[in-house]
Amino acid sequence: MLTDDFNSAARACGAREKQSSRYRIGLWLEEIADWLNRYAISKSRIDFCNPFPRVVFDDTRIGKQHDERRAGKLPSLAAYEALGAISNLVEEASEVVRIRAVEILVATGFRINEALTLPEHCEVEEEVIENGKPLLDRDGRRRVRYGLRYWPEKGGDPDIKWIPTAMIDVVRRAVREIRIHTAPTRKVARWLESHPGRAYFDLENDQGPDQLYSVNDLEGILGISSYGGVESWAKVRGLAATTIGRAPYYRRGDIEGALLAMQWFPGRSSPLPLSNFLFVVPHNFCHDRKATISFVVRILTDLQIRDFLSGRKSKRGATRSVFARYGFTEPDGSPIELTSHMFRHWLNTLAQQGGMGEHEIARWFGRKDIGQNAAYDHVTGMQKAEEVRRLMESGSMRGGMAELHESLPPILRPEFRGTVVATAHTTDLGLCITDWSLAPCPDHGSCARCAEHLIVKGDATHKAAAQEMLNEHEWLLAAAVIEADEETYGASNYVAHHRSMVEGLRRILAVHNDPDIPDGTVVHLNMAMPLRLENYSLEAIDDAPRC
């Protein structure tokens, strides 16, 4: 191994992987190089450093860059409307199975391989218990929750994904129809598992391995539509023909060997045998030009879902997406572009927009770290502001702004909410409600003491950032105090700034550590109102109609 080998690997990574993946792979390459150097395994020292910068997700909710990132990660309205129509149009088995797989992705936010490795018997139902008693619906019937057993893709333990109530019927239908269309293939898989070393081939006419089949015989059995197609299939797989009367014949043993060479089985680490997976399909199940070979069984692949949603062009021709086949496009006539992972981004954004807690989001999506939520959160500034206004209206907000809101007559409260919180974006410490479209921030970088900054109680990422910033500002304050005592010119300004930041950060941490404030509560911590609003309360109250 030489340094050039690592540089070549990095170049290949740069050409193939996305930015976030490049950085992680670069770290692994750097670790391998360090290990080789440490134990003197390579012929010479490997001088390799990760060439890819760490990707830091910008949490700003405004601007062209955010709009483009959001559009590239979330499905369009046209895509969802088209999927809804197509779900009731498909008839071919391969299209039905794939559209039902997409419905499961929409309802669950599964990673694609989590969905495709669902077990056949994945459904779970159990009564909803609250305070030790069954929970009843409006009709007095016991409520039941419905979920799917699955294996988290990134090393998690087996888990159950509970389905949102509104999507239960959709998922039930999807699982039921997938089972129906995969039942014949599952039968083949069970036979293969109980007859190792044999292929599921012409069982009713089995006369031993030396039995001969003509090309015409194989046309009917394999489902290949032409004489030349059978000969081509046999040639590619190295089958030797026996010529009888100028016609080629093929041994049963050789044919079974060729079919077994095409057969895929799960590895030893697989939790299930092949027949117990939900998405078992025959070879060429989704191919629009090659014959489906029912004797060879495999699991539906992510590539087949990708081709279904996005289409694909290659040297051998083009595969049209399901949208193109059924004539659906974006409003401007451009093709609908969709990936399986967009549904995960969309559901995460809906959860954020609806006020679901970060820990609950991470747990429902099968993430080990709540910090991973940020990459999937595409809520716009306007939607963030609407969320804050909703919390203010429902009484789930505390602080000076919330107190002023409650002091106003009810008729004036909607106007107040719309004026105070016109937009919002996420910061390292919480939420900023400064409208940057009017003017630049007058106190940039001083969120901890800003009157237009809100704290989201219990957000672990914000809390950790506040603690880190507090440690830095305490050290800087101590250094500034020493300079001020020595009467260094201008040092008093630094003392005042760092002291106000330290006080603000301590207040933020006190909110996060307060057990009396429920997680998810928005707190307006710095009591002084923004200059643009400081006279609003008096004017609003003076002008308010008296009852």
Side-chain angles (χ1 to χ4, degrees), residues 193-416:
E193 289 162 358
S194 61
H195 297 80
R198 292 293 309 277
Y200 190 93
F201 173 75
D202 194 24
L203 299 182
E204 296 178 357
N205 187 32
D206 185 356
Q207 299 177 21
D210 291 326
Q211 180 181 357
L212 295 177
Y213 288 85
S214 68
V215 172
N216 291 331
D217 294 334
L218 294 178
E219 276 188 70
I221 297 172
L222 295 177
I224 299 175
S225 59
S226 67
Y227 191 98
V230 172
E231 288 191 316
S232 176
W233 182 87
K235 183 177 180 181
V236 168
R237 285 156 183 80
L239 270 65
T242 300
T243 302
I244 301 178
R246 301 175 64 182
Y249 285 79
Y250 299 94
R251 290 180 64 253
R252 178 189 185 91
D254 294 337
I255 296 168
E256 286 199 25
L259 293 172
L260 286 174
M262 298 166 59
Q263 179 60 50
W264 174 86
F265 286 105
R268 293 182 179 180
S269 60
S270 173
L272 294 174
L274 179 59
S275 61
N276 284 10
F277 286 101
L278 178 64
F279 286 97
V280 288
V281 296
H283 186 68
N284 290 338
F285 180 61
C286 302
H287 208 290
D288 56 1
R289 291 184 294 275
K290 293 184 178 180
T292 298
I293 299 179
S294 59
F295 314 128
V296 179
V297 180
R298 57 190 65 248
I299 290 178
L300 194 69
T301 67
D302 58 343
L303 178 61
Q304 289 167 326
I305 297 294
R306 191 189 317 161
D307 289 348
F308 182 70
L309 293 174
S310 304
R312 177 163 51 103
K313 292 182 179 179
S314 67
K315 294 180 179 179
R316 297 181 180 179
T319 299
R320 295 199 303 163
S321 73
V322 67
F323 303 109
R325 290 200 298 275
Y326 284 89
F328 289 93
T329 65
E330 294 288 352
D332 62 0
S334 61
I336 293 174
E337 296 182 357
L338 193 61
T339 69
S340 64
H341 210 61
M342 283 183 172
F343 305 121
R344 190 169 173 86
H345 282 267
W346 175 72
L347 282 174
N348 194 109
T349 300
L350 284 184
Q352 298 276 3
Q353 193 174 336
M356 191 174 180
E358 296 289 341
H359 287 92
E360 287 79 8
I361 290 173
R363 183 166 59 249
W364 195 75
F365 281 95
R367 299 184 185 123
K368 295 181 179 180
D369 180 6
I370 66 171
Q372 296 172 1
N373 291 345
Y376 292 83
D377 179 7
H378 306 289
V379 179
T380 67
M382 294 296 187
Q383 291 170 332
K384 275 284 182 187
E386 179 59 36
E387 179 184 340
V388 174
R389 291 194 292 267
R390 180 180 56 78
L391 292 171
M392 188 186 298
E393 181 182 12
S394 65
S396 298
M397 183 176 181
R398 298 190 184 185
M401 195 177 294
E403 292 169 5
L404 178 55
H405 175 265
E406 293 301 313
S407 71
L408 292 173
I411 195 172
L412 293 178
R413 291 176 185 174
E415 181 186 353
F416 174 81

Side-chain angles (χ1 to χ4, degrees), residues 87-105:
S87 68
N88 296 312
L89 295 175
V90 292
E91 295 180 353
E92 292 183 13
S94 64
E95 291 191 337
V96 172
V97 169
R98 285 183 288 178
I99 197 68
R100 301 301 174 239
V102 169
E103 290 172 354
I104 290 174
L105 291 171

Side-chain angles (χ1 to χ4, degrees), residues 124-138:
V124 179
E125 291 188 32
E126 62 180 41
E127 288 187 343
V128 179
I129 304 297
E130 192 172 275
N131 299 323
K133 298 181 180 179
L135 195 64
L136 305 180
D137 61 17
R138 294 179 180 178

